[in-house]
Amino acid sequence: MKNGIDVSVWQGDIDWDKVKPQIDFAIVRLGYGQNTLDKKAERNISALNRLGITYGVYWFSYAYTVEKAKKEAQNAIKHLQKLNGNLSYPFYFDWEYDSRKYAEKNGVTVSNDLLRNMATVFCEEIEKAGYYAGIYTNPNYIKSHYGEEIFKRFDLWLAHYANKAYCDANVWQYGDSGKVTGISG
């Protein structure tokens, strides 16, 4: 088993030289919404490239139409290319409870079909650009919204804080309270 970490602006300025011996890979929040780059994405990706740490990225989606999901993917790809992203792990679509609240605030109730279609178009755009695509989610969203069929097509990054994973996943996020020397947040 390999050990990795999920990082974003919330972890502050990471001392990647100290972190490197403790991890096998990282997954970096590249950005969110239609076109907002995570404030630490450039710093994190530069350090990972410099140190040869393998990594993937994710985009926190606020899409509530297929067109918005496609545009998010296109903008995310441009950001990754500008940062010289060199992915060894997937490029993930991340649509969560806050995404759903945002859609509802904008007058849209996202059906399961719409969510699957948004995830699919996002991931297909990622694949067209030459990256391996995946979806970040949890057991509740698999059971209640995505279903399992979509994960035959796209990689699964499973967030399930337990002693055993809910299902097979290529990446299993089993906790959210670990400590790594070099990261203060």
Side-chain angles (χ1 to χ4, degrees):
M1 178 193 277
K2 293 183 176 184
N3 285 307
I5 55 174
D6 162 12
V7 299
S8 69
V9 66
W10 304 111
Q11 282 68 52
D13 288 334
I14 297 170
D15 185 339
W16 285 104
D17 291 292
K18 288 182 180 174
V19 170
K20 182 180 179 176
Q22 302 169 77
I23 64 165
D24 298 302
F25 68 95
I27 300 181
V28 177
R29 182 175 78 163
L30 183 58
Y32 56 93
Q34 283 295 288
N35 198 19
T36 305
L37 185 67
D38 183 287
K39 288 183 167 99
K40 297 297 179 182
E42 182 175 6
R43 183 182 193 284
N44 289 334
I45 288 172
S46 176
L48 293 165
N49 286 340
R50 177 179 58 83
L51 293 168
I53 300 170
T54 57
Y55 63 94
V57 297
Y58 69 98
W59 192 266
F60 191 95
S61 176
Y62 284 106
Y64 52 85
T65 69
V66 170
E67 295 77 24
K68 286 184 180 297
K70 184 175 186 177
K71 189 69 175 167
E72 282 184 352
Q74 292 167 343
N75 289 332
I77 290 162
K78 288 177 189 171
H79 283 299
L80 184 63
Q81 290 170 342
K82 283 181 190 171
L83 298 178
N84 297 311
N86 183 17
L87 303 184
S88 299
Y89 281 79
F91 195 133
Y92 292 100
F93 173 77
D94 179 7
W95 200 90
E96 301 182 30
Y97 302 100
D98 283 345
S99 311
R100 184 170 297 284
K101 287 179 194 170
Y102 182 79
E104 290 170 355
K105 187 174 117 183
N106 284 280
V108 177
T109 299
V110 175
S111 68
N112 293 347
D113 283 340
L114 177 54
L115 177 56
R116 285 188 295 269
N117 289 338
M118 290 189 309
T120 297
V121 76
F122 184 97
C123 289
E124 286 174 345
E125 286 297 307
I126 297 305
E127 289 176 339
K128 283 183 205 170
Y131 302 104
Y132 188 74
I135 299 168
Y136 170 85
T137 197
N138 61 53
N140 178 49
Y141 261 70
I142 293 171
K143 290 183 273 189
S144 301
H145 304 295
Y146 281 113
E148 295 185 14
E149 192 66 27
I150 197 167
F151 299 106
K152 293 177 183 173
R153 172 78 173 83
F154 302 112
D155 196 60
L156 170 60
W157 170 13
L158 177 67
H160 184 215
Y161 304 157
N163 293 329
K164 183 177 181 221
Y166 165 75
C167 62
D168 288 336
N170 290 332
V171 174
W172 170 31
Q173 183 175 336
Y174 59 85
D176 64 352
S177 60
K179 298 287 181 196
V180 177
T181 302
I183 300 176
S184 60

